[in-house]
């Protein structure tokens, strides 16, 4: 097969945008066009303020845009021109119907696949980049074959994306591995090698793994399930630590030094967020139950349940510590994004926490360095509930700094681990807060002994609140 010259990416989101921008950055001979039906998003990709925040992304996009990197809403035209198409559309959890709250909604993948079949006038490699349930490629193949014009052939590959938001560009420059699954036919294997050749422009061949289609699809769900499982495991232990006087950081360190366990992803916290972990775990739970494997489904479901428990446990601890009522008290929430170095708020723990605070009639002041006020209002408003937006606006205040949020607050709650929260002048913050001034560290990132010396009452997940006083 001839080398790839023209790539179209359908979906200009957190995955399609950075992934294909990096391909353009690393492969100047390939024309890359990233398409989306969302005109506002495409406009932003073509402007000075990109629609997503990722360290290093601006440089990558600005250096290749208009040269071999393009953005467009004309999906059909770029499908037609491409010899390889990435399908990188959203696959959210289904909201209603069969499998609601569990299964992946594949409507966007299907719509994109149908479009490819309908408008293609030449043969193409179609690559599943979106995270999908195992055997989705089979449905895509059926749709493509039933709807294509004569003499047009499609090879389907699975090439799941393992980037993490916040470190997307360095992950894409230097991935632990790239995974490409194909049908084990002659033409499938040739297509697999053709995509491998694209990545080989900057990734060592030994880091490009080739498997069958179904292993590749399942590996993505499995990787996210295993990562989320580590977080839920250490979070479960954090509850035991609080009850016994053990320190979860010390336990994680001691366990992580065992090379069989390893130290990464063993940080206790208020719970995982983001668009992927919860969705993909639930997707695996649904897949397992559909395959009539109820014990397997129950096993993975517990990872999700533990995450919900951790968020609720943190909230309950805040309310009980604040003398069992937060009515009319001001709670300063530091961080709204689901993790540092991203503006993405999908499934952020902050949303669950703040909604609980609002239900208890607290006043909530929020500061996040990268999340827009409008996004915060949208995330906290229940869609379709009359006047809900106005009620939200009454309860919350969006602040331009941590200092503004903390002024006259009863409690400071750290939800996102932004580095700048370590550098704040806590003497100043203490002076401006109501007394007793409480700090709840949901990320185990602040210097608790120092804060206690200032006068704060400090609660850290996985640590006894009386730590340092015994
Ligand atoms: P996203 O919502 O940010 O982007 C998806 C984009 O696809 C949207 O802009 C949407 O308008 C567009 N789209 C939907 N249907 C379309 C169509 N028919 N034609 C053109 N555009 C269309 O989602 P995302 O975070 O980029 O995730 C995409 C996929 O990648 C998901 O399956 C996700 O699970 C997976 N994934 C995400 C991450 C991550 O960190 N966000 C990491 C790995 C994998």
């Amino acid at each position: 097969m001839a080398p790839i010259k023209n790539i179209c990416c359908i979906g200009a989101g957190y995955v399609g945008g950075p992934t294909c921008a990096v391909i353009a950055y690393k492969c100047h001979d390939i024309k890359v066009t990233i398409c989306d039906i969302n005109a506002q998003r495409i406009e932003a990709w073509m402007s000075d303020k990109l629609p997503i925040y990722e360290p290093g992304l601006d440089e990558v996009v600005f250096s290749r845009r208009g040269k071999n990197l393009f953005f467009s809403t004309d999906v059909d035209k770029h499908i037609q021109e491409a010899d390889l198409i990435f399908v990188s559309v959203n696959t959210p959890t289904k909201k209603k119907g069969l499998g609601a709250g569990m299964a992946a909604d594949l409507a966007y993948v299907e719509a994109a696949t149908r479009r490819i079949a309908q408008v293609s006038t030449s043969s193409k490699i179609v690559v599943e980049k979106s995270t999908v349930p195992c055997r989705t490629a089979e449905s895509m193949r059926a749709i493509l074959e039933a709807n294509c014009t004569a003499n047009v052939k499609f090879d389907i590959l699975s090439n799941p994306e393992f980037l993490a938001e916040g470190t997307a560009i360095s992950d894409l420059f230097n991935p632990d591995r790239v995974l490409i699954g194909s049908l084990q036919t002659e033409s499938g294997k040739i297509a697999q090698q053709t995509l491998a050749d694209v990545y080989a422009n900057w990734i060592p061949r030994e880091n490009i793994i080739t498997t069958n289609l179904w292993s590749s699809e399942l590996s993505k769900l499995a990787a996210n399930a295993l990562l989320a499982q580590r977080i839920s495991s250490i979070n479960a232990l954090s509850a035991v630590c609080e009850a016994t006087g053990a320190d979860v950081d010390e336990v994680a360190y001691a366990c992580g030094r065992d090379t069989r366990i390893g130290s990464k992803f063993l940080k206790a916290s208020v719970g995982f967020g983001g668009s992927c972990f919860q969705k993909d775990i639930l997707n695996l739970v649904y897949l397992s139950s559909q395959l009539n494997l109820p014990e397997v489904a129950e096993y993975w479901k517990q990872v999700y349940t533990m995450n919900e428990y951790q968020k609720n446990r943190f909230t309950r601890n805040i309310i009980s510590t604040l003398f069992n009522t937060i009515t009319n008290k001001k709670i300063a929430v530091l961080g709204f994004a689901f993790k540092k170095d991203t503006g993405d708020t999908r499934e952020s723990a902050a949303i669950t926490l703040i909604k609980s605070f609002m239900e208890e009639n607290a006043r909530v002041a929020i500061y996040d360095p990268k999340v827009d006020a409008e996004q915060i209002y949208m995330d906290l408003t229940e869609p379709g509930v009359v006047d809900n937006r106005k009620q939200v606006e009454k309860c919350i205040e969006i602040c331009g700094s941590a200092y503004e949020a903390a002024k006259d607050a009863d409690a400071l709650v750290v939800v996102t681990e932004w580095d700048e929260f370590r550098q704040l002048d806590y003497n100043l913050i203490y002076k401006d807060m109501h007394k007793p001034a409480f700090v709840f560290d949901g990320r185990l990132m602040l210097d608790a002994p120092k804060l206690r010396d200032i006068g704060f009452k400090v609660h850290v997940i996985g640590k006894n609140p009386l730590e340092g006083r015994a």
Side-chain angles (χ1 to χ4, degrees):
M1 196 177 266
I4 297 299
K5 286 277 159 224
N6 199 321
I7 290 178
C8 166
C9 174
I10 306 181
Y14 286 87
V15 165
T19 310
C20 286
V22 165
I23 293 179
Y25 187 80
K26 296 288 189 182
C27 313
H28 294 188
D29 294 343
I30 301 178
K31 180 184 172 200
V32 179
T33 309
I34 305 175
C35 300
D36 208 293
I37 41 179
N38 181 338
Q40 222 183 338
R41 212 162 200 186
I42 289 298
E43 217 171 278
W45 278 110
M46 294 198 289
S47 75
D48 290 342
K49 189 172 184 296
L50 301 183
I52 62 181
Y53 171 71
E54 268 300 332
L57 178 64
D58 284 11
E59 193 207 320
V60 167
V61 171
F62 297 156
S63 70
R64 299 310 306 165
R65 203 169 55 188
K67 294 180 180 138
N68 67 326
L69 174 63
F70 303 90
F71 296 90
S72 173
T73 50
D74 194 346
V75 186
D76 291 359
K77 173 171 179 260
H78 295 287
I79 288 175
Q80 277 169 352
E81 287 177 4
D83 23 55
L84 183 144
I85 301 168
F86 284 108
V87 177
S88 192
V89 299
N90 35 333
T91 50
T93 305
K94 268 183 92 172
K95 288 216 171 73
K96 52 183 194 173
L98 211 61
M102 288 272 187
D105 184 348
L106 294 175
Y108 303 96
V109 172
E110 180 165 340
T113 309
R114 285 188 181 277
R115 210 64 224 146
I116 294 170
Q118 274 157 19
V119 305
S120 290
T121 47
S122 59
S123 298
K124 296 170 197 309
I125 298 175
V126 177
V127 185
E128 254 177 13
K129 187 53 116 175
S130 299
T131 304
V132 288
C134 198
R135 295 202 83 89
T136 300
E138 199 165 63
S139 321
M140 287 173 76
R141 192 153 65 105
I143 291 168
L144 289 169
E145 283 176 1
N147 293 283
C148 66
T149 11
N151 298 327
V152 172
K153 294 238 162 348
F154 297 102
D155 281 297
I156 302 189
L157 300 176
S158 157
N159 172 220
E161 187 47 61
F162 294 103
L163 67 78
E165 286 179 34
T167 52
I169 298 301
S170 66
D171 293 345
L172 288 164
F173 277 13
N174 193 16
D176 290 341
R177 78 310 205 183
V178 163
L179 177 58
I180 308 174
S182 75
L183 280 181
Q184 298 301 293
T185 56
E186 195 185 333
S187 113
K189 286 182 183 169
I190 292 172
Q192 191 173 43
Q193 278 315 312
T194 309
L195 179 57
D197 290 344
V198 172
Y199 285 114
N201 278 294
W202 77 99
I203 294 162
R205 288 274 179 189
E206 63 271 23
N207 292 351
I208 303 174
I209 305 173
T210 53
T211 65
N212 80 35
L213 261 177
W214 325 120
S215 304
S216 173
E217 287 180 334
L218 186 58
S219 296
K220 175 63 194 176
L221 289 185
N224 273 355
L226 289 166
L227 289 169
Q229 182 204 44
R230 277 176 78 92
I231 299 178
S232 279
S233 297
I234 198 70
N235 282 344
L237 289 167
S238 76
V240 180
C241 287
E242 285 166 38
T244 56
D247 176 321
V248 74
D249 274 338
E250 291 178 351
V251 173
Y253 180 71
C255 294
R257 285 295 295 267
D258 184 328
T259 50
R260 292 169 305 173
I261 297 172
S263 60
K264 289 183 180 168
F265 254 70
L266 273 188
K267 185 80 181 165
S269 71
V270 61
F272 58 74
S275 65
C276 293
F277 282 175
Q278 177 176 316
K279 163 174 84 71
D280 295 348
I281 283 271
L282 293 174
N283 198 333
L284 185 58
V285 171
Y286 187 71
L287 181 72
S288 308
S289 59
Q290 289 299 98
L291 295 169
N292 203 19
L293 302 167
E295 290 82 0
V296 179
E298 196 45 45
Y299 175 77
W300 289 111
K301 177 91 185 283
Q302 195 56 28
V303 173
Y304 162 78
T305 305
M306 185 52 61
N307 198 51
E308 293 302 295
Y309 167 73
Q310 185 75 345
K311 288 186 272 187
N312 293 336
R313 204 168 71 78
F314 189 58
T315 312
R316 279 201 312 268
N317 182 29
I318 292 172
I319 297 170
S320 70
T321 307
L322 290 177
F323 316 110
N324 289 314
T325 175
I326 55 172
T327 301
N328 284 328
K329 289 182 181 163
K330 179 175 171 183
I331 315 276
V333 173
L334 298 192
F336 195 86
F338 85 91
K339 65 190 281 200
K340 76 169 181 177
D341 291 338
T342 177
D344 194 353
T345 61
R346 290 178 288 180
E347 305 297 344
S348 176
I351 299 172
T352 315
L353 261 55
I354 294 168
K355 282 186 175 171
S356 308
F357 298 156
M358 290 194 303
E359 265 181 27
E360 297 287 331
N361 294 319
R363 293 174 295 127
V364 188
I366 304 162
Y367 167 66
D368 187 288
K370 287 289 172 201
V371 182
D372 295 342
E374 187 50 36
Q375 184 65 48
I376 296 179
Y377 285 125
M378 255 168 52
D379 286 336
L380 296 175
T381 303
E382 300 298 340
V385 180
V386 184
D387 282 346
N388 188 246
R389 167 78 183 231
K390 279 192 197 137
Q391 284 161 10
V392 170
E393 283 174 11
K394 255 196 242 160
C395 299
I396 67 168
E397 179 194 349
I398 313 249
C399 302
S401 72
Y403 299 102
E404 190 187 332
K407 192 165 168 39
D408 298 325
D410 296 272
L412 201 66
V413 180
V414 179
V415 186
T416 314
E417 74 281 25
W418 286 104
D419 290 337
E420 67 174 69
F421 299 157
R422 284 199 185 88
Q423 322 298 338
L424 298 170
D425 181 343
Y426 282 97
N427 280 299
L428 200 67
I429 288 180
Y430 182 74
K431 210 157 61 72
D432 276 351
M433 281 178 67
H434 282 173
K435 309 296 179 312
F438 290 95
V439 170
F440 297 89
D441 184 355
R443 291 293 186 162
L444 295 82
M445 65 177 296
L446 302 182
D447 186 342
K450 200 170 137 197
L451 294 181
R452 289 195 181 104
D453 285 348
I454 294 174
F456 286 104
K457 307 274 179 221
V458 186
H459 289 248
V460 185
I461 284 181
K463 301 188 188 214
N464 193 302
L466 301 176
E467 176 206 5
R469 286 202 207 153

